[in-house]
Amino acid sequence: MIENNDTSAQDSCDENPAFNNRHNHQDCISSALDKAQALCRTRNSRLTPVRKRVLELIWQSHKPLGAYQILSQLAADGFNSAPPTVYRALDFLLEHGLLHRIASLNAFIGCNNPNHNHHGYFLICRSCGSAQEIEAGNLSTYLRKNASAAGFVIESETVELSGLCPLCLEQQGHSQSDK
Amino acid sequence: MIENNDTSAQDSCDENPAFNNRHNHQDCISSALDKAQALCRTRNSRLTPVRKRVLELIWQSHKPLGAYQILSQLAADGFNSAPPTVYRALDFLLEHGLLHRIASLNAFIGCNNPNHNHHGYFLICRSCGSAQEIEAGNLSTYLRKNASAAGFVIESETVELSGLCPLCLEQQGHSQSDK
DNA sequence: TCATTGGTGTAATGTTATAACAGAACCGGC
DNA sequence: GCCGGTTCTGTTATAACATTACACCAATGA
């Protein structure tokens, strides 16, 4: 059985910023960029202008962004903007754990915890498009145990949960009572 | 193709057929088609030739199949083979629970339990490409509980676990000891 | 019988992602 | 400084996945 005795820590961005329209999003952005800078320094990797800009663009919101959306933003910024430019930057950021790819959306979202080598489990709102990475401490253990019963060894996990976020649920409630 | 004719030690479609190269795969195919026929009859839906053929093609193996792979097979069979033909058939089969889409592969796999309204959780072997749907009784409850802590209501779940299946693990062991 | 519905045919296009190769920028050793 | 390897970027083309829009046909049923 799975239990949840999870007490996730809180940093400048609160626990579920994507579903909190009162959080200071500038903090999310600057925190993400700071972490990226620091991480690249320690790894002797280069956070070049394109890469940095892609990371910024992705952190503009908590909605996963498609590669071609990023591309058109880059173009507007005067960057080169052929597909490989973006995909290379995305690959780099993915490799360093600064991003996650959301397979069910073909889109990318920032990760605010690139050091901690964790699994990306996501709540994705089908209404507003926001996505929130969640901690689910025992989930991986449970999945691995379950898989091993079939003799299977898990290497990577795609867990993407779609539905309605608290903000959209509230709005829905209002619009219903308005009727 | 994963099948053999030794009927001594096998049930028609055992628990994890995708990872068992001794199961009688003909049984998987005919069982899936029978269930589809029956289900369409009770729902007054039409399992037209294209739809039936697509379902057959998908059940040729336990490896998820891309839409364009299906397309080229249909073409070889003399069917019309423009993308909409396949995607319409796939949509129909998905709606009736006869298939699942694997988002992380952009591919489709048969579901051998279309009546039982269950979640599709998958083990996907990165080496041989086979995928096996698994039951994980508590998982959905756990995920929903976990999500509700963030005020989120889950509507659909994408759980795709990639790794190595028992058959490929065994092979890997051999090839290592061969060195 | 004729109107409605559901299914298919066809052409075009939209969206996401990669291949292949050339050239520029960076960096460590001399 | 400058050479040579490596990493990063520019560019063109194309692969892979999916949808739109509209025309037509076939089964159903008042």
Side-chain angles (χ1 to χ4, degrees):
Chain A
M1 186 58 209
I2 322 174
E3 289 164 29
N4 190 359
N5 27 26
D6 203 18
T7 56
S8 29
Q10 189 159 334
D11 49 7
S12 65
C13 285
D14 68 284
E15 203 173 340
N16 290 305
F19 305 146
N20 173 2
N21 52 14
R22 301 177 71 85
H23 80 280
N24 184 340
H25 189 58
Q26 279 309 318
D27 289 351
C28 292
I29 300 176
S30 56
S31 147
L33 286 173
D34 289 351
K35 284 179 187 169
Q37 300 269 22
L39 184 141
C40 286
R41 232 177 345 254
T42 65
R43 295 190 189 170
N44 270 316
S45 291
R46 292 161 56 200
L47 192 62
T48 63
V50 193
R51 291 167 176 176
K52 186 178 171 188
R53 186 63 186 137
V54 169
L55 190 58
E56 275 174 4
L57 288 170
I58 281 178
W59 274 102
Q60 287 311 296
S61 80
H62 291 280
K63 304 186 202 303
L65 222 50
Y68 281 74
Q69 291 177 275
I70 297 166
L71 205 50
S72 64
Q73 298 257 22
L74 281 183
D77 294 353
F79 280 87
N80 172 49
S81 62
T85 302
V86 165
Y87 282 101
R88 284 169 187 151
L90 291 171
D91 285 345
F92 174 89
L93 297 167
L94 283 169
E95 273 166 23
H96 286 83
L98 297 162
L99 292 185
H100 289 286
R101 181 168 191 275
I102 310 280
S104 58
L105 300 176
N106 295 325
F108 302 84
I109 191 159
C111 174
N112 65 7
N113 205 353
N115 293 297
H116 178 211
N117 186 11
H118 59 299
H119 322 277
Y121 305 139
F122 290 95
L123 301 177
I124 304 163
C125 181
R126 68 158 163 83
S127 174
C128 67
S130 290
Q132 177 64 53
E133 190 170 355
I134 53 171
E135 288 291 330
N138 303 315
L139 182 52
S140 185
T141 311
Y142 173 76
L143 293 174
R144 273 155 217 272
K145 208 173 91 185
N146 213 295
S148 74
F152 192 97
V153 174
I154 294 176
E155 292 174 344
S156 79
E157 306 164 31
T158 299
V159 176
E160 297 168 8
L161 310 169
S162 175
L164 286 173
C165 76
L167 300 176
C168 291
L169 278 168
E170 199 190 352
Q171 277 208 344
Q172 211 183 44
H174 287 167
S175 67
Q176 287 211 348
S177 59
D178 288 350
K179 281 174 190 168
Chain B
M1 182 92 318
I2 42 177
E3 70 184 79
N4 69 16
N5 301 317
D6 172 18
T7 55
S8 55
Q10 51 185 221
D11 41 9
S12 63
C13 248
D14 68 285
E15 204 173 337
N16 291 304
F19 305 146
N20 173 1
N21 54 15
R22 299 179 68 85
H23 81 280
N24 185 339
H25 190 58
Q26 279 309 319
D27 290 350
C28 291
I29 300 176
S30 55
S31 148
L33 286 173
D34 290 350
K35 284 179 187 169
Q37 301 270 23
L39 183 142
C40 286
R41 229 175 348 253
T42 65
R43 295 190 190 168
N44 271 316
S45 292
R46 292 162 56 198
L47 193 62
T48 63
V50 194
R51 292 167 176 176
K52 185 177 172 190
R53 187 62 186 137
V54 169
L55 190 57
E56 275 174 4
L57 289 170
I58 281 178
W59 274 101
Q60 286 311 295
S61 79
H62 291 280
K63 304 185 202 303
L65 222 50
Y68 279 71
Q69 290 177 274
I70 297 166
L71 205 50
S72 65
Q73 298 258 21
L74 281 183
D77 294 353
F79 280 86
N80 171 50
S81 62
T85 302
V86 165
Y87 282 102
R88 284 167 187 154
L90 291 170
D91 285 345
F92 174 89
L93 297 167
L94 284 170
E95 273 166 23
H96 286 82
L98 296 162
L99 294 185
H100 290 287
R101 180 166 191 276
I102 310 280
S104 58
L105 299 176
N106 295 325
F108 302 84
I109 190 159
C111 174
N112 66 7
N113 205 353
N115 293 297
H116 177 210
N117 186 12
H118 58 301
H119 322 277
Y121 306 138
F122 290 95
L123 301 176
I124 304 163
C125 182
R126 68 158 162 82
S127 173
C128 67
S130 291
Q132 176 64 54
E133 190 170 356
I134 53 171
E135 288 292 330
N138 303 318
L139 183 52
S140 185
T141 310
Y142 172 74
L143 293 173
R144 274 155 216 272
K145 207 173 95 186
N146 212 295
S148 73
F152 191 97
V153 174
I154 294 176
E155 291 174 343
S156 79
E157 307 164 30
T158 299
V159 177
E160 296 168 8
L161 310 169
S162 176
L164 286 174
C165 76
L167 299 176
C168 291
L169 280 167
E170 199 190 352
Q171 277 209 343
Q172 210 184 44
H174 287 167
S175 68
Q176 289 211 344
S177 60
D178 288 351
K179 279 174 188 167

